[in-house]
Amino acid sequence: MITTVPVTLCCIPNVIKTHKKITCSSSKAQTDQGKTSKTYESLDALNYLGLSRRNILSVASLASLSLAGSASAMFSPDLLKPCESLSQCRDTLAGIVKESEADPENSDNEGLEYFFDTEVKRLEKNKSFVESTRKAVTSGEGKFVQHIVVTVEDIDSAVDFWTKGMGMQVIRERSGEGLRTVFVAYGPETFKAETGGNFALELVESPAASPRSWVSPGGQLEYIQVAVGNVRLGALVESGAKVLYSYGYLELLAPGGLLVKQRVGVRRDPVELLAFKVKNIDAAVEYYEQALGMQVVERTPPLICTQEKKGGILGALGFADKTCNTPKFYPFAPSTPPGSVRLCYGESKDTVNILLIPQEENVSQKSGTIYQKLAILTNNTEKSAQNANTGGAEVAFVGAVPGIGTKVGALRDPNSYVLVFVDYEDFEKEQP
């Protein structure tokens, strides 16, 4: 006899910690590996959407009962996946509600109803976001940080890491002149889809990419930070990640050397921020505000230390107490470096943020070749490039990209980071 609820309860902590499919057994319960695997995949989907532990347990119990043949015939483990459209989600929810009304004594549908109600609300919010952002960009009232271009030594290994390990999808591919390019994201890039408006990584294969030399102002990206509902450590290691830190959150080296920080959290788009070091933090913030039109959303105080001379004999011997305004420690999220400033377009919680970090004094760092450029959507590439051509920035190119036709305005900002303004309408033409 299969006892389902104890199995679910014993396995949930492990499912949340790793993506590996685990068979749990005890004196009360033993379950077939093939059946439990589907349940755990469903739990991954629930956890990704940020459901509470109580709701996960509720749906997990339903899933187990269904596998044992006791639940509603409408339930299927494959049903518990993020919806691809709002209409699909609403129809599914309506069917579940109708079945619950027909049989109010059957509580098996409670978890399903919560799941799809959460999905409907998520898609409604995303639909509102893409519509308002598209309107702001096309009218010239706003811009959008759309994708980052990074070079990788082995594009197949990089794609495995970002898809199988980090949970992204391959959105589109491009090839030509001996180069292969793959765009990966947590959903569609286009603003014409209800699930769209997602930030992308453009992976460009280049054997000359130099690992671990990317930490440099005036040259490269410091790290990328991602917030996901389910951290799959086993899948990350299997996909080529090197784990540097794993207490409360993860610090990983992606294949090729790019530093990635991953925490547990739920955002509209899991890609949370891009961190860059700059030589002069005040000048950099002024440029990003005035020339690029971003707004500051958070400032972390710089590290300041004071010394107070001890009393008595210890004081006479020169001993002193040192006190520093160390940033508050959050055990489940990466600490924000002292003196750094976070900026973005629009609402911070809905878009990718730019984190500017002051370079340490008297520290020389090499330029690397992993970071290539950051793409920003606009309705007028020429005007955007002209407005950004100030404070030591240098415009490099304005016009249509050869072979592609997309209108862009490319420049180096005062810290030598390459920024590219991309025409919104041409961007949409590139979408699959």
Side-chain angles (χ1 to χ4, degrees), residues 91-157:
D91 290 346
T92 304
L93 177 60
I96 295 169
V97 171
K98 184 177 180 179
E99 185 172 301
S100 296
E101 292 173 348
D103 185 9
E105 299 298 323
N106 186 348
S107 61
D108 292 344
N109 282 321
E110 179 182 354
L112 281 173
E113 186 174 337
Y114 184 91
F115 175 85
F116 284 101
D117 182 63
T118 301
E119 270 289 87
V120 166
K121 291 175 180 176
R122 179 183 72 86
L123 288 180
E124 287 175 340
K125 289 180 179 179
N126 202 77
K127 181 181 178 181
S128 176
F129 170 81
V130 295
E131 289 175 348
S132 62
T133 302
R134 182 172 66 241
K135 181 179 179 180
V137 173
T138 55
S139 67
E141 296 178 358
K143 296 182 179 69
F144 181 77
V145 177
Q146 198 279 319
H147 76 265
I148 189 172
V149 181
V150 294
T151 56
V152 295
E153 294 177 282
D154 184 331
I155 200 161
D156 291 324
S157 296

Side-chain angles (χ1 to χ4, degrees), residues 216-220 277-280 283-284 288 392 412-417:
S216 169
Q220 303 307 322
K277 279 195 173 179
V278 295
K279 298 173 184 176
N280 184 321
Y288 274 68
R412 289 187 180 274
D413 77 359
N415 280 278
S416 295
Y417 291 113

Side-chain angles (χ1 to χ4, degrees), residues 343-364:
L343 307 96
C344 72
Y345 293 117
E347 293 289 335
S348 173
K349 62 182 176 61
D350 293 328
T351 60
V352 173
N353 292 207
I354 302 298
L355 183 68
L356 301 179
I357 304 173
Q359 178 187 358
E360 298 88 343
E361 294 183 5
N362 303 319
V363 175
S364 60

Side-chain angles (χ1 to χ4, degrees), residues 30-206:
Q30 288 189 344
T31 303
D32 176 74
Q33 175 72 34
K35 292 181 179 179
T36 56
S37 296
K38 293 183 179 179
T39 304
Y40 302 153
E41 292 291 344
S42 300
L43 291 176
D44 278 346
L46 292 172
N47 195 37
Y48 175 80
L49 291 170
L51 301 189
S52 67
R53 184 64 62 88
R54 175 184 176 185
N55 292 114
I56 291 177
L57 290 174
S58 174
V59 183
S61 297
L62 173 61
S64 295
L65 288 168
S66 175
L67 291 172
S70 303
S72 163
M74 183 176 181
F75 176 80
S76 165
D78 294 333
L79 190 65
L80 294 178
K81 294 180 180 179
C83 297
E84 295 182 359
S85 71
L86 188 53
S87 59
Q88 172 208 355
C89 224
R90 285 172 173 164
D91 290 346
T92 304
L93 177 60
I96 295 169
V97 171
K98 184 177 180 179
E99 185 172 301
S100 296
E101 292 173 348
D103 185 9
E105 299 298 323
N106 186 348
S107 61
D108 292 344
N109 282 321
E110 179 182 354
L112 281 173
E113 186 174 337
Y114 184 91
F115 175 85
F116 284 101
D117 182 63
T118 301
E119 270 289 87
V120 166
K121 291 175 180 176
R122 179 183 72 86
L123 288 180
E124 287 175 340
K125 289 180 179 179
N126 202 77
K127 181 181 178 181
S128 176
F129 170 81
V130 295
E131 289 175 348
S132 62
T133 302
R134 182 172 66 241
K135 181 179 179 180
V137 173
T138 55
S139 67
E141 296 178 358
K143 296 182 179 69
F144 181 77
V145 177
Q146 198 279 319
H147 76 265
I148 189 172
V149 181
V150 294
T151 56
V152 295
E153 294 177 282
D154 184 331
I155 200 161
D156 291 324
S157 296
V159 170
D160 278 351
F161 168 78
W162 289 105
T163 57
K164 297 177 183 179
M166 297 295 292
M168 288 186 171
Q169 311 164 28
V170 172
I171 304 300
R172 52 188 170 121
E173 297 189 37
R174 183 191 295 158
S175 60
E177 299 181 356
L179 293 177
R180 182 182 166 202
T181 298
V182 178
F183 289 76
V184 293
Y186 282 102
E189 298 172 85
T190 176
F191 284 82
K192 296 180 179 180
E194 295 168 342
T195 56
N198 292 280
F199 180 84
L201 274 74
E202 180 181 352
L203 309 174
V204 180
E205 191 166 45
S206 173

